[in-house]
Structure formats: structure tokens, C-alpha cells
Amino acid sequence: MQDPLSRIAALKRPPLLVEAARFGIDGYDRARLLPRLIGAGGFGPARAATALLDREAEIEARRRSGSGDYRPARHVELIVALMGEARLLRAARLS
């Protein structure tokens, strides 16, 4: 199994989703956003990233299938959270 950073780096998503997420990354508040996206719990960055990757894969499948319950705003939130957790993982590896 790949580590979360490798999995995040391998994601290929529409440029519009990624660009929208880049606008939100500076305001990323993990204490506020993570419980809403993956539930309450004291997740470290690696565990949170893995859970977010699983949720994002579900949302991506909905997007690709044209499902009526696909919500672009939720998808952007997940990508913002993935970017934020990736930053935390990289910072932890450097220290």
C-alpha cells in the first residue's frame, strides 16, 4: 500500500477543482473541517489523509458517473483538506 503523500501526488482531478481548492488552502482549519468530512476523532495527518483519500474516491466516482447527489463544493472541501494534511505530513517529515 502506498503512503498517503504518494497517493495524493498520484491524484488526477479536473484543473478547475484543484484551482478552487488552492484558493481555500490558506484558510484550512483542520479542527473545523475534518470532523465534518471524516467524523470526530483525534486523527494524525497520515490517518486523516488516508480517510480523506477514501472519501474523495467515493465523491470522484459520483462525479464521473454523473450522479445527481454529486456536490462540487463538497469535493473542493475534500481536496482542500487533502492539501492541508499533505502540508502537515511534509512538515513532519522535514522536522
Side-chain angles (χ1 to χ4, degrees):
M1 178 184 226
Q2 289 181 315
D3 72 295
L5 280 177
S6 297
R7 287 179 63 195
I8 292 168
L11 289 177
K12 302 291 184 227
R13 296 299 178 255
L16 186 59
L17 283 175
V18 176
E19 190 64 27
R22 283 190 183 126
F23 281 107
I25 190 65
D26 289 333
Y28 177 60
D29 179 358
R30 88 186 301 263
R32 180 185 55 82
L33 196 54
L34 284 184
R36 188 162 28 119
L37 295 175
I38 58 174
F43 294 108
R47 189 166 167 217
T50 300
L52 288 165
L53 282 161
D54 293 342
R55 286 287 296 133
E56 195 278 336
E58 294 168 10
I59 299 290
E60 176 64 7
R62 287 183 194 151
R63 183 187 72 80
R64 287 180 178 262
S65 72
S67 175
D69 66 347
Y70 172 71
R71 300 289 178 258
R74 181 65 131 200
H75 203 167
V76 170
E77 281 183 327
L78 279 161
I79 295 171
V80 166
L82 279 169
M83 289 176 170
E85 295 304 308
R87 278 185 178 178
L88 292 173
L89 283 168
R90 282 189 218 99
R93 286 186 179 176
L94 291 176
S95 59

